[in-house]
Amino acid sequence: MNVKWQPACVLWQKLPLQLLYYCRKAEIYQITMADAAVDTTTPTDSLIPEPELMVEQNQEDQPVSEGKGGEEGDSSSQTDSSVPMKDSGTEPELMSVQNQKDQPPAAEEKGENDGSSSGVYRYIKEDLFTSEIFKVEIQNLPKYIGFNDLKKFLNKQGLNPHKIKLIGRQTFAFVTFKNKEERDKAMKLVHGMQWKGKVLSVRLAKPKADPIVRKRRQDEGAVDSGQPVCKRPADGQDVEDDEPLSIQIANAVTPLWKVPYEEQLRRKEQEVEAVLQTLAREIGNNNKAMLPWLFVQKEKNKNMCCPLEAIRPSPLQTEYRNKCEFVIGTGADGEDKTVGFRLGKYKGGSCAVVSPSDTIHIPEEAKRVVQAFQQYIRTTPYAVYSPETYAGHWRQLTVRTSRTDQIMAMVFFNPQKLPEEEIKSLKDSLRQYFTDGEGKDSGITSLHFVRIGQRTSAGTEDLPCELVAGDEWIHEELLGLKFRISPHSFFQTNTLAAEVLYSAVGEWAQLDHGSTVLDVCCGTGTIGISLAKRVKKVIGIELCQEAVEDAKVNAEANGLTNIEFHCGKAEDIFPTVLNAVVSPNVTAIVDPPRAGLHSKVILAIRRAEHLKRLVYVACNAKAAMNNFVDLCRAPSNRVRGNPFRPVRAMAVDLFPQTMHCETILLFERVDYSANANSTEPQTTEN
């Protein structure tokens, strides 16, 4: 008899699932670091520290976070965070990273365990926060489950994952947590649990290798073996490429800059059309009662769930951004202390920075500030901050401009261990330079200094701003109204296009003087304030305290007394506020971050039967798909109240030269009692 010998670990994995389950129950299956799984995929997100899992972050308007890598989405705002934002610094939701190709195991990296300062895992030895040291691998997952399926499953067990990474169609996933206690709790609860006929197993996973160090090792290995190395170095030395740096950075931050604007609009409209076709399929899968109506809609609207109106263009296609976040690092041309945008991302092994002087979406006012600030920091003895070694000081420059000719600049600086007297002297020097020195011509009217050190926890609170010179705020005009904007407050980055967007929202909301408007994720109150004069009452909900204070001041400045604002997470405040509203004519307008609304908010909306109409403004319609589906799915024990259905959709281009746009969807409550003899549910307007 032929016997094929196999390693014990292979035989163990082939044990019957039921036996694994009982082994777990008997606590025989012990997990040790020696058994730890290795995350061998290409590093795809920040090593340290990552942003906290949040749902109600202020869209595009957050300060730099303590992460590594550039921002996804509209690339004109680049911070040290690797999480997608609605235009900025921290990203509130978990992100799944899929379809990554396997790399050699991290354990094989040179210097991994040598304890040297150049080791690929050196970052975990620092006394800083990184969820990579609290990572597990969940194995034997059911086939065809997605990121949101796994997230909901873990939440149902009372677990709060920090990051989730699925690898294509594999039956395993890597999950990180914020601390050892949460990780251990997950291992105890999930290991041996049955899910969709599969018995899950959990083991510890090793952290990712630092992508910069890994790339350097690969390049060194290539040199040793006589192989060519990548032309673009990770640490920003000279870049020898066929294209000028101005072309490279334009391709990185404005990928459609060579495409005629009409063609840009066509592509964006096609993207939204695809989203609505997907939503049609999802509604059919989750609410069979809507199938007759859905069939008619798909026949009329090219397989979409509702009519898609023509995309509305941005009035400005160049120099439209009123807020930009610039990183500070070594220039791709070799110049030290360069202020601009990264050519790549840290996770891709590159920190090279290029000046924004030739980019077409940044206004000249912001470019002047960048140039003046760059000249200033090159005269100082302080080095740029290194996301690899955590040494250095200069981190980021954020510039906000307005149509009122006011300019705000926020300087992000890592104080390291500098004495307070030296920090004070630096701020005095900044003040003198921009008020009486060479930087005076930059036109800054509000200058702030922000201390940003390494995080030692998973928190994402706004960092305190120290006013160095000028006014504490800047002001903007929109739709004939005046708005005060604080450093951390959210305000749409394309003011003229925001007027187009908000005008459409007001039109679609179908308001009258008896209406009550719930403005969720309201920022500085722009939407609610623009609608307040035509309704009975506006109630705004916003996470950022600064933005709430701005919103209250803005309401008073515009002579409005029928508007109130509440500060906190929408999932905590919205249900209570909604239940307190007694008006029979209630409309909700939601403008959430990219990841969408928290499920608690959606459930509260579904339960509130007196809420008949919802206008959803999505900066990433694909990411908000779960919200759309939950609004429309059939009632159940978890989702109570009649469903909504989409009746109208439109894209508004707020980000010319990129593939991003805003999408407006109008949802109306299905009224099953409107026509008791009909098999097709009716909307409230019917």
Side-chain angles (χ1 to χ4, degrees), residues 301-322:
N301 302 303
K302 297 195 299 184
N303 288 324
M304 293 183 289
C305 57
C306 65
L308 175 61
E309 300 185 9
I311 185 172
R312 297 195 182 179
S314 170
L316 278 180
Q317 288 88 55
T318 60
E319 299 188 21
Y320 61 83
R321 290 193 62 91
N322 59 38

Side-chain angles (χ1 to χ4, degrees), residues 46 52 156 181-182 285 369 446 640:
S46 62
E52 183 176 8
K156 190 175 181 181
E181 291 71 23
E182 291 186 16
N285 293 334
V369 174
S446 175
R640 301 181 183 275

Side-chain angles (χ1 to χ4, degrees), residues 409-650:
M410 299 169 63
V411 177
F412 291 82
F413 185 86
N414 190 324
Q416 302 290 2
K417 296 181 180 180
L418 294 179
E420 186 60 35
E421 295 78 9
E422 193 168 346
I423 298 292
K424 183 179 182 300
S425 176
L426 175 62
K427 291 193 294 182
D428 291 341
S429 173
L430 270 169
R431 180 186 304 108
Q432 192 280 330
Y433 179 84
F434 282 105
T435 56
D436 301 316
E438 296 180 17
K440 183 177 181 180
D441 292 339
S442 64
I444 292 177
T445 61
S446 175
L447 179 62
H448 295 264
F449 186 84
V450 184
R451 306 183 194 212
I452 177 169
Q454 277 76 43
R455 290 188 319 172
T456 56
S457 68
T460 58
E461 297 82 5
D462 288 339
L463 297 168
C465 291
E466 303 172 41
L467 182 64
V468 174
D471 300 322
E472 190 171 348
W473 314 278
I474 61 173
H475 296 81
E476 183 60 287
E477 295 178 352
L478 185 145
L479 295 174
L481 301 166
K482 297 178 181 178
F483 294 91
R484 188 184 84 176
I485 305 173
S486 293
H488 292 310
S489 297
F490 169 73
F491 196 91
Q492 288 286 2
T493 58
N494 184 338
T495 306
L496 289 177
E499 292 184 326
V500 176
L501 176 70
Y502 295 158
S503 296
V505 169
E507 172 192 341
W508 287 25
Q510 303 173 39
L511 305 171
D512 57 39
H513 290 292
S515 301
T516 296
V517 173
L518 300 175
D519 186 4
V520 184
C521 306
C522 65
T524 54
T526 46
I527 295 179
I529 289 174
S530 68
L531 301 176
K533 290 185 178 180
R534 45 174 129 162
V535 300
K536 180 180 179 181
K537 188 172 185 179
V538 174
I539 302 174
I541 299 173
E542 170 58 40
L543 175 66
C544 177
Q545 181 65 50
E546 274 189 13
V548 171
E549 294 303 320
D550 285 344
K552 292 177 179 178
V553 170
N554 293 335
E556 183 177 354
N558 290 285
L560 302 172
T561 59
N562 62 335
I563 187 167
E564 62 185 52
F565 296 97
H566 301 266
C567 183
K569 294 182 179 180
E571 62 267 30
D572 296 335
I573 296 176
F574 185 79
T576 302
V577 170
L578 187 55
N579 291 334
V581 175
V582 295
S583 171
N585 186 359
V586 182
T587 297
I589 299 172
V590 300
D591 186 8
R594 283 190 178 160
L597 292 170
H598 194 285
S599 58
K600 289 182 180 179
V601 179
I602 298 295
L603 294 177
I605 290 172
R606 285 291 300 268
R607 287 194 301 267
E609 295 282 1
H610 58 300
L611 176 55
K612 304 297 185 184
R613 187 175 294 107
L614 172 73
V615 180
Y616 198 118
V617 181
C619 59
N620 187 336
K622 290 181 180 179
M625 181 62 69
N626 281 339
N627 280 180
F628 302 158
V629 175
D630 284 343
L631 286 168
C632 302
R633 69 171 62 252
S636 64
N637 289 334
R638 185 181 75 91
V639 183
R640 301 181 183 275
N642 285 350
F644 288 80
R645 65 185 183 187
V647 297
R648 204 175 175 187
M650 181 177 67

Side-chain angles (χ1 to χ4, degrees), residues 147-381:
F147 161 76
N148 287 293
D149 298 318
L150 181 54
K151 179 189 167 189
K152 287 182 179 179
F153 170 77
L154 295 174
N155 289 157
K156 190 175 181 181
Q157 316 310 319
L159 301 173
N160 186 26
H162 191 66
K163 294 190 300 180
I164 294 176
K165 183 165 72 173
L166 294 170
I167 315 298
R169 291 295 182 183
Q170 301 296 323
T171 58
F172 64 90
F174 292 101
V175 183
T176 70
F177 296 87
K178 297 174 187 175
N179 53 55
K180 180 178 182 295
E181 291 71 23
E182 291 186 16
R183 182 200 65 189
D184 293 347
K185 178 183 175 182
M187 295 180 70
K188 183 177 180 180
L189 287 174
V190 178
H191 184 68
M193 181 174 289
Q194 285 197 358
W195 184 28
K196 296 185 178 181
K198 296 288 186 177
V199 178
L200 307 180
S201 64
V202 185
R203 60 177 180 171
L204 296 174
K206 288 185 179 179
K208 296 174 192 167
D210 186 314
I212 288 286
V213 179
R214 167 177 280 183
K215 185 176 186 300
R216 185 179 298 119
R217 293 284 168 78
Q218 291 172 343
D219 291 346
E220 290 172 354
V223 170
D224 293 341
S225 62
Q227 298 296 318
V229 298
C230 176
K231 291 183 178 180
R232 181 177 300 157
D235 52 2
Q237 287 99 4
D238 290 341
V239 178
E240 299 175 3
D241 205 309
D242 294 337
E243 293 183 322
L245 290 177
S246 59
I247 302 298
Q248 293 182 49
I249 198 63
N251 292 336
V253 300
T254 52
L256 301 184
W257 69 282
K258 293 181 181 179
V259 179
Y261 190 55
E262 289 301 320
E263 173 63 16
Q264 294 184 32
L265 296 177
R266 188 189 67 82
R267 293 184 187 182
K268 295 180 183 187
E269 200 165 57
Q270 286 181 334
E271 288 286 321
V272 177
E273 183 176 311
V275 168
L276 297 178
Q277 290 170 344
T278 300
L279 180 55
R281 292 193 296 270
E282 292 295 329
I283 293 174
N285 293 334
N286 290 277
N287 194 334
K288 304 301 182 184
M290 285 195 188
L291 286 175
W293 166 83
L294 197 58
F295 178 79
V296 174
Q297 297 302 311
K298 292 173 69 174
E299 284 291 316
K300 293 192 300 184
N301 302 303
K302 297 195 299 184
N303 288 324
M304 293 183 289
C305 57
C306 65
L308 175 61
E309 300 185 9
I311 185 172
R312 297 195 182 179
S314 170
L316 278 180
Q317 288 88 55
T318 60
E319 299 188 21
Y320 61 83
R321 290 193 62 91
N322 59 38
K323 179 187 177 185
C324 302
E325 293 170 337
F326 304 99
V327 295
I328 307 171
T330 302
D333 56 1
E335 287 287 341
D336 190 20
K337 300 179 184 177
T338 298
V339 184
F341 299 130
R342 282 183 182 159
L343 279 176
K345 297 178 181 179
Y346 189 95
K347 64 187 181 185
S350 173
C351 285
V353 178
V354 177
S355 167
S357 58
D358 293 322
T359 55
I360 63 174
H361 63 323
I362 307 298
E364 287 300 321
E365 296 89 339
K367 293 177 182 178
R368 283 201 304 269
V369 174
V370 168
Q371 184 62 28
F373 180 71
Q374 181 174 275
Q375 290 176 356
Y376 171 78
I377 64 174
R378 287 179 175 177
T379 66
T380 69

